[in-house]
Amino acid sequence: MENNFGKLSKLSLTAGVKDGRTILEDLSFTAPFKIMRPFYEKKDFMTVMLLTASAGIMAGDRQEWDFRIREKAKMEFVSQAYEKIHRMEDGWAERRACITVEPGGCLYYSPLPTIPFAGSDFRNVLKVNLVDRTSRFVFSEILSCGRVAHGEQFLYSRYQNLVTVYQEGKMVYRDNTRYNPAQTDMQGFGMYEEYTHLANLLICNEDKNDDWIRAVRGILDESHGAEGGVTRTTAGHIVVRILGRSGQQLTNLLNGILVL
């Protein structure tokens, strides 16, 4: 399978610090990617918004991302619109991303929700290298069951997402999501059940104590039309997962959790 843009689509960026402010030290990209001029909506954080000159992910697309957050740099990576994964009559699309966060650096990786269309097949691999325990990383994702308004719940062919986090060279987190609705009852017990959207939140090396965890559980217990849980990994990182009925609902819940 060849990329629809004729070659591998790449996005590479490096965030550093100059005069006490996070800046883009280096940036390169190929079609269909573009980057909006960085802005500073949050104190001490540079926000980088991804733009794409395409209608979404198509069969044969091959993407490669490489992010480096230098020492003490603070960056938030967001997207302009929901990510649409279109029907694929033949083949699949894939993205491979590598993120490195140096000591004292911080990356909030929070693109908008993903919508897999009927017949789509998307495979994503994300590798994160945290240089030491002061390297902070927050990852959030929201996956829809499909285009609900079009009656396309769980009609995609495959959705695969492998997220691996290393800290000081040691693996501290691994989530290998592989959904194949033709083989798995995605609305059955232990899966989505009556819900249509799933949110995952991973928080690494942020100062979150047990009181904070109890506060998150309180938010989840009081939320209407959603349910979820929060846990601490053996490495001390936080994982939150929430099932809901809309991308906006889960986005609001994640935003509320992150400002606690």
Side-chain angles (χ1 to χ4, degrees):
M1 295 293 296
E2 292 187 356
N3 191 311
N4 292 332
F5 294 93
K7 59 182 179 180
L8 185 68
S9 298
K10 294 186 177 183
L11 171 62
S12 176
L13 62 86
T14 300
V17 177
K18 181 178 181 181
D19 298 328
R21 189 185 197 191
T22 300
I23 62 168
L24 272 182
E25 287 187 347
D26 185 64
L27 172 66
S28 63
F29 52 82
T30 60
F33 300 128
K34 293 183 179 180
I35 292 294
M36 180 180 290
R37 182 173 180 175
F39 53 95
Y40 298 83
E41 191 174 66
K42 296 182 179 179
K43 184 180 180 181
D44 300 330
F45 270 80
M46 174 183 68
T47 299
V48 173
M49 179 175 286
L50 175 68
L51 309 176
T52 58
S54 72
I57 295 177
M58 310 290 184
D61 282 356
R62 299 292 183 265
Q63 301 178 357
E64 185 177 285
W65 293 0
D66 186 17
F67 298 169
R68 177 171 288 273
I69 311 302
R70 297 287 192 191
E71 186 173 352
K72 296 183 179 180
K74 299 177 181 178
M75 190 185 94
E76 179 184 35
F77 181 76
V78 300
S79 56
Q80 182 189 32
Y82 282 37
E83 185 158 63
K84 302 177 181 66
I85 306 175
H86 290 273
R87 176 183 290 275
M88 301 172 188
E89 301 297 340
D90 186 27
W92 69 91
E94 68 177 23
R95 174 186 297 144
R96 295 183 175 271
C98 182
I99 294 172
T100 300
V101 185
E102 296 184 1
C106 181
L107 174 64
Y108 277 48
Y109 183 96
S110 51
L112 288 171
T114 298
I115 306 174
F117 288 20
S120 64
D121 185 339
F122 181 61
R123 308 172 191 185
N124 182 62
V125 177
L126 173 62
K127 179 181 177 182
V128 182
N129 297 302
L130 305 178
V131 175
D132 65 18
R133 295 179 182 275
T134 67
S135 305
R136 297 155 55 202
F137 176 65
V138 176
F139 167 80
S140 66
E141 65 167 352
I142 297 174
L143 176 65
S144 166
C145 67
R147 294 189 295 177
V148 178
H150 289 72
E152 291 185 357
Q153 293 96 321
F154 303 110
L155 293 182
Y156 54 87
S157 297
R158 181 194 300 194
Y159 179 84
Q160 182 174 332
N161 189 23
L162 173 61
V163 179
T164 310
V165 179
Y166 296 87
Q167 183 169 289
E168 298 176 324
K170 179 182 178 181
M171 184 189 296
V172 294
Y173 178 83
R174 184 178 177 90
D175 179 15
N176 190 12
T177 296
R178 297 170 66 96
Y179 292 152
N180 187 332
Q183 299 178 2
T184 304
D185 181 6
M186 297 297 297
Q187 294 176 291
F189 180 75
M191 300 301 288
Y192 278 63
E193 299 184 13
E194 75 269 27
Y195 297 100
T196 58
H197 293 69
L198 172 65
N200 291 317
L201 175 64
L202 171 65
I203 302 176
C204 299
N205 296 326
E206 294 277 335
D207 186 17
K208 306 297 185 184
N209 57 27
D210 290 343
D211 289 338
W212 183 89
I213 291 178
R214 281 191 286 271
V216 172
R217 287 175 176 158
I219 289 177
L220 296 176
D221 289 342
E222 295 172 2
S223 62
H224 299 287
E227 62 178 291
V230 54
T231 188
R232 190 186 297 275
T233 70
T234 56
H237 305 318
I238 304 294
V239 178
V240 181
R241 293 195 172 171
I242 312 171
L243 287 164
R245 293 190 174 89
S246 78
Q248 189 60 54
Q249 174 197 33
L250 295 184
T251 297
N252 292 341
L253 279 171
L254 292 181
N255 289 339
I257 289 170
L258 289 173
V259 299
L260 282 177

